[in-house]
Amino acid sequence: MFLGKVLVVFGTRPEAIKMAPVIKELKKVEDITTIVAVTAQHREMLDQVLKLFDIVPDHDLNLMREGQDLYSITTGVLEGMKEILDKEQPDMVLVHGDTTTTFAAALAAFYRRIPVGHVEAGLRTRNKYSPYPEEMNRSLAGRICELHFAPTDTARENLLAESTASFKIWVTGNTVIDALLDTIKPEYKFGQELSQIDFSRRIVLVTTHRRENWGNSMRNIYEALLDIVNEFPDVEVVFPVHKNPVVREVAEEMLQGRERFHLIEPLDYEPFAHLMNCCYMVMTDSGGLQEEAPSLGKPVLVLRDTTERPEAVEAGTVKLVGTNRDKIYQEAKRLLTDSREYEQMARAINPYGDGKAARRIAKIVTEFLYVRLGAQM
Ligand code: UD1
Ligand code: UDP
């Protein structure tokens, strides 16, 4: 019995990684038609993931422009989604996380009175400017959505605290673990992209991109990295630099050409996941890395003032160190010199799920469509 059409919408690299397992599971359900629309708020970084997971979008808004701002992304997604929704008439829309694509796509579906499911729902810092604009994007998307797929109990509690009805929330785990487990292979060998790196040294894997860190905070982070590499001759920094020109400009100005710094292009998810798996530690302002690295037993220093991922902090594998140069340096030094401290953080724990989150989400979506169809008969 045909249950309905599900439209999965996303636009950036992390959303693609985390939605790929959901698309895979939904496509296994014969009674549902699953279609994919990308806003392409990201281009190259999105395409890298589409290729790896063999996703061919049914619609591609191709929105990305150099120097795009929050207004142009929001209006581009809204206008573009209007046409896709009119053409496809989906029975429900699925969005992910906290990007501007997430919020604007949910809003577009709401304007057509189409129910929306939110994957990775309920993450909160309760500070609307940190992370900016993500905290507001996910809060607003949450108000719109009918189904909330919370990765953890904490996320569920956050939603309940905002008076979200408990029967609309499911704790599923985070689909990033599904993607990671699907990707990591014991026999994997790196290609040419990492040939310059001396793996006999301790590898510190770095990524940065958060808007609230643009300017002085980002400079502080890079100064601290210089301090660390100067002090520890057996450390190499591998830094796949985000495509955002704001990040690139400062990173290249301060770190390019420095000894034992490898500023490289964003890596495909497969080599990146394996690099995480063999690095000494991670220093990042990314959201996703705070979920992935703990499940690989890698300590993470979070270069932000807030985190919406308290589970790994509580478990002790992730530490929030902020953006003060000396604080970052001291915390990194501790991990590089104190083996007890290192061992305490380097415990493989997995507060974000068992790799079956996407299966659960597909099942819940199927049941939702079944009940909805029944109500229409
Ligand atoms: C976006 C999301 C952020 C998410 C991050 C993941 C918003 C407002 N921000 O931030 O929540 O954590 O993605 O990485 O939704 N660019 C390229 N090629 C790419 C990708 C980006 O050239 O493949 C450049 C473009 O010049 C683009 C710029 O990066 O204009 C910024 O991209 P944008 O999506 O606006 O912001 P991000 O910082 O990537
Ligand atoms: N990632 C990747 N290649 C890279 C850097 C990161 O595939 O060169 C992956 C990483 O494993 C994680 C995701 O991209 O799953 C994180 O993306 P990002 O930091 O851009 O966004 P956030 O997680 O902060 O939303």
Side-chain angles (χ1 to χ4, degrees):
M1 181 179 45
F2 179 66
L3 295 178
K5 191 190 270 188
V6 179
L7 174 62
V8 182
V9 187
F10 53 92
T12 65
R13 170 175 67 189
E15 294 171 279
I17 292 168
K18 290 169 167 181
M19 278 306 218
V22 177
I23 294 166
K24 187 173 157 192
E25 290 301 324
L26 280 174
K27 290 215 166 180
K28 287 183 192 164
V29 186
E30 280 176 15
D31 299 333
I32 293 177
T33 301
T34 300
I35 47 175
V36 175
V38 295
T39 64
Q41 173 183 334
H42 283 176
R43 190 69 276 172
E44 304 91 318
M45 285 161 56
L46 175 73
D47 292 342
Q48 285 178 312
V49 184
L50 296 178
K51 190 163 153 252
L52 174 66
F53 291 106
D54 223 359
I55 299 168
V56 181
D58 301 277
H59 299 273
D60 187 335
L61 294 178
N62 199 22
L63 285 182
M64 198 196 82
R65 298 288 173 271
E66 170 120 13
Q68 64 199 12
D69 63 20
L70 299 177
Y71 299 90
S72 63
I73 308 170
T74 308
T75 50
V77 174
L78 256 186
E79 293 283 355
M81 281 301 299
K82 181 177 159 200
E83 278 178 34
I84 295 173
L85 293 172
D86 286 346
K87 177 163 186 288
E88 295 289 356
Q89 307 274 325
D91 296 284
M92 79 177 291
V93 168
L94 285 183
V95 297
H96 180 278
D98 53 22
T99 70
T100 297
T101 287
T102 313
F103 164 57
L107 185 62
F110 166 72
Y111 284 161
R112 284 282 178 265
R113 297 172 196 265
I114 298 167
V116 186
H118 193 192
V119 179
E120 199 182 79
L123 276 63
R124 297 288 186 271
T125 61
R126 310 241 174 264
N127 176 341
K128 69 177 163 186
Y129 293 114
S130 181
Y132 167 84
E134 291 83 0
E135 176 74 3
M136 191 52 72
N137 283 341
R138 60 192 170 214
S139 305
L140 294 173
R143 298 314 299 163
I144 291 170
C145 291
E146 263 75 27
L147 291 83
H148 306 263
F149 303 112
T152 63
D153 287 328
T154 310
R156 177 174 187 274
E157 295 299 323
N158 288 338
L159 290 163
L160 290 173
E162 292 170 1
S163 304
T164 310
S166 61
F167 69 88
K168 295 181 174 181
I169 311 171
W170 291 265
V171 178
T172 59
N174 197 309
T175 58
V176 80
I177 305 299
D178 307 28
L180 190 66
L181 297 182
D182 209 27
T183 304
I184 298 269
K185 305 265 164 18
E187 68 281 5
Y188 181 80
K189 298 261 181 300
F190 291 115
Q192 272 304 310
E193 68 275 30
L194 296 176
S195 61
Q196 303 301 313
I197 291 146
D198 180 353
F199 283 101
S200 68
R201 292 202 171 112
R202 292 189 285 182
I203 305 296
V204 176
L205 179 58
V206 174
T207 76
T208 62
H209 72 82
R210 296 247 84 84
R211 261 161 220 260
E212 65 275 12
N213 281 351
W214 290 0
N216 279 344
S217 296
M218 202 168 279
R219 288 184 174 274
N220 291 343
I221 293 169
Y222 300 157
E223 294 285 3
L225 292 176
L226 287 164
D227 296 341
I228 295 157
V229 170
N230 278 341
E231 169 121 6
F232 296 94
D234 69 329
V235 164
E236 294 207 2
V237 167
V238 182
F239 182 177
V241 186
H242 195 285
K243 282 276 183 195
N244 194 322
V246 181
V247 179
R248 279 203 157 213
E249 201 180 312
V250 186
E252 284 171 7
E253 177 208 313
M254 294 183 64
L255 307 175
Q256 185 86 282
R258 301 284 190 142
E259 203 185 335
R260 288 178 283 116
F261 273 91
H262 303 277
L263 267 57
I264 58 177
E265 287 301 311
L267 286 168
D268 287 353
Y269 188 57
E270 203 176 21
F272 187 81
H274 288 89
L275 187 58
M276 255 189 301
N277 202 24
C278 72
C279 73
Y280 182 81
M281 66 180 188
V282 175
M283 296 176 68
T284 188
D285 64 10
S286 157
L289 267 75
Q290 296 176 56
E291 296 151 349
E292 294 163 323
S295 70
L296 298 172
K298 301 298 172 181
V300 184
L301 297 181
V302 180
L303 309 168
R304 297 168 51 178
D305 298 322
T306 58
T307 182
E308 59 290 270
R309 290 162 170 95
E311 301 85 359
V313 176
E314 278 154 24
T317 74
V318 160
K319 199 180 252 185
L320 197 60
V321 298
T323 56
N324 175 281
R325 173 181 176 175
D326 193 52
K327 169 83 172 156
I328 297 170
Y329 166 73
Q330 294 299 343
E331 293 290 352
K333 183 175 173 180
R334 198 196 310 271
L335 281 175
L336 288 161
T337 52
D338 183 339
S339 57
R340 253 191 65 172
E341 174 81 12
Y342 182 85
E343 289 309 326
Q344 269 187 3
M345 280 190 83
R347 279 173 291 119
I349 54 129
N350 211 333
Y352 295 106
D354 55 4
K356 294 180 187 147
R359 236 174 280 177
R360 294 187 186 101
I361 291 168
K363 187 164 177 281
I364 296 157
V365 166
T366 308
E367 285 165 4
F368 174 79
L369 291 174
Y370 185 78
V371 171
R372 195 165 178 264
L373 191 68
Q376 286 165 358
M377 279 175 176

